[in-house]
Amino acid sequence: MSATIIDGKAFAATVREKVAAHVARLKDENGITPGLAVVLVGEDPASQVYVRSKGKQTVETGMNSYEHKLEADTSEADLLALIDKLNKDPAVHGILVQLPLPKHLDEDLVINAIDPAKDVDGFHISNVGLLGTGQKSMVPCTPLGCLMMLRDHHGSLSGLDAVVIGRSNIVGKPMAQLLLGDSCTVTIAHSRTKDLPEVVRRADIVVAAVGRPEMVPGDWIKPGATVIDVGINRIDAPEKGTREDGSVKTRLVGDAHYESCAAVAGAITPVPGGVGPMTIACLLANTLTACCRANGLEEPEGLTA
Ligand code: NAD
């Protein structure tokens, strides 16, 4: 194995430290405490874990965390009324509605009801447009984390060939915009791309955001390229044995086949411990950024796009 391992867990810890230090200064010098409101509708177990983790890390960095847990059958009108209340609350600088929402709620309508200045997920149509036109916006957390790691590893990204595999609104598309903003030559590949291996072989930077376990093998990777693996896939791991109920134990893998890619790449993010931890760290960074902007204060350095 020759690739440098980009340690997202360690990087995320440094981001959280920077956020905490800036939050402490805001409190001391300006008497302001950033606040993040997280809204969870229903009892999806994975969403509950994410929301708990977000709340815990928010408090650990010195910010206020406001959790709003609503019943699964909450009406759209009640959810929109809560968002309106949070939009008007000066103690709340960031609002995150945990997705997915129950089927009877219109996700686009709900997301676009959030004040764009408080939209720390960066999913509001205004933020999408601002990012697309190179203006100051709230940037989706996962791609922002990928960008931070790439900048840290490469310094300048200018002129590099980047291939983003996946065109989702939450990862692929904003990732491509960010790379374009840093002057990469960007290709977005997706399920209909012809000859994906050849497209990926051109890339100095490969960002895989598909959700298919180990679909990118090492022989697609240009020697020395950087592989950012966004995928989080749970697969059976019979080598780990079985649980008490007889079911096979599982493990997490990315969209890249780690061993073969690491043998060719110049750098790679592992799964777990790569992009994943950066996502919540960037949510905290976005909350701080939103708070600074709301108060006309200087933004934290190195924590925005
Ligand atoms: P998505 O399902 O919305 O989008 C997947 C994209 O992959 C689509 O654009 C599709 O065109 C493309 N695709 C599907 N099959 C393909 C193929 N065979 N070849 C090329 N492209 C193909 O997924 P998403 O929300 O963007 O998430 C992608 C992955 O990233 C998932 O594994 C998800 O769990 C993970 N994820 C991780 C984080 C994190 O914090 N690390 C955050 C968000 C998503």
Side-chain angles (χ1 to χ4, degrees):
M1 199 177 294
S2 61
T4 300
I5 296 165
I6 300 177
D7 184 344
K9 208 171 157 194
F11 201 106
T14 67
V15 170
R16 286 196 301 273
E17 276 164 26
K18 277 190 200 167
V19 170
H22 202 102
V23 167
R25 271 205 307 281
L26 271 184
K27 283 185 186 177
D28 277 0
E29 294 169 16
N30 307 91
I32 298 167
T33 304
L36 172 65
V38 177
V39 180
L40 173 64
V41 186
E43 288 176 359
D44 177 62
S47 294
Q48 283 180 326
V49 173
Y50 289 138
V51 166
R52 238 193 332 270
S53 186
K54 285 167 185 172
K56 185 168 166 275
Q57 293 191 34
T58 302
V59 172
E60 280 169 1
T61 46
M63 302 196 274
N64 289 327
S65 167
Y66 309 101
E67 280 181 31
H68 296 268
K69 293 185 176 162
L70 306 182
E71 299 293 331
D73 61 357
T74 296
S75 71
E76 205 159 80
D78 284 351
L79 178 55
L80 291 174
L82 172 61
I83 291 173
D84 186 49
K85 201 172 113 204
L86 297 173
N87 282 342
K88 289 175 179 148
D89 186 343
V92 172
H93 305 97
I95 303 170
L96 179 149
V97 176
Q98 185 65 44
L99 302 178
L101 287 171
K103 294 254 176 309
H104 67 284
L105 299 169
D106 179 340
E107 271 184 13
D108 287 338
L109 185 81
V110 170
I111 296 304
N112 290 323
I114 298 171
D115 177 349
K118 297 189 178 189
D119 168 39
V120 281
D121 253 342
F123 296 160
H124 190 289
I125 195 79
S126 297
N127 282 315
V128 176
L130 290 167
L131 178 62
T133 49
Q135 299 180 69
K136 195 184 268 193
S137 66
M138 294 308 302
V139 176
C141 303
T142 301
L144 178 59
C146 296
L147 182 75
M148 283 184 190
M149 291 192 287
L150 282 167
R151 283 177 176 170
D152 183 66
H153 181 73
H154 285 271
S156 169
L157 306 182
S158 181
L160 295 179
D161 279 315
V163 171
V164 179
I165 318 176
R167 56 177 161 182
S168 73
N169 289 337
I170 64 167
V171 189
K173 283 182 201 157
M175 185 75 246
Q177 296 286 7
L178 289 171
L179 291 167
L180 205 51
D182 270 28
S183 301
C184 290
T185 303
V186 183
T187 303
I188 307 181
H190 47 77
S191 53
R192 304 289 174 90
T193 296
K194 282 189 231 156
D195 202 356
L196 184 61
E198 272 314 306
V199 171
V200 175
R201 276 185 197 115
R202 292 205 299 262
D204 302 307
I205 293 170
V206 181
V207 180
V210 179
R212 284 182 164 231
E214 302 177 321
M215 72 165 274
V216 178
D219 66 2
W220 291 12
I221 303 299
K222 177 160 104 178
T226 300
V227 178
I228 303 290
D229 193 349
V230 182
I232 302 175
N233 310 289
R234 190 166 285 285
I235 61 166
D236 283 347
E239 72 280 5
K240 287 170 74 177
T242 51
R243 298 193 194 87
E244 271 176 24
D245 65 2
S247 61
V248 176
K249 287 191 177 168
T250 58
R251 67 189 173 98
L252 290 180
V253 297
D255 289 345
H257 183 270
Y258 186 76
E259 285 75 19
S260 62
C261 287
V264 188
I268 188 166
T269 59
V271 177
V275 176
M278 286 297 288
T279 297
I280 297 187
C282 287
L283 171 68
L284 306 174
N286 276 351
T287 304
L288 172 60
T289 299
C291 176
C292 292
R293 287 179 187 169
N295 289 284
L297 297 168
E298 206 180 315
E299 290 179 24
E301 218 176 292
L303 295 179
T304 51

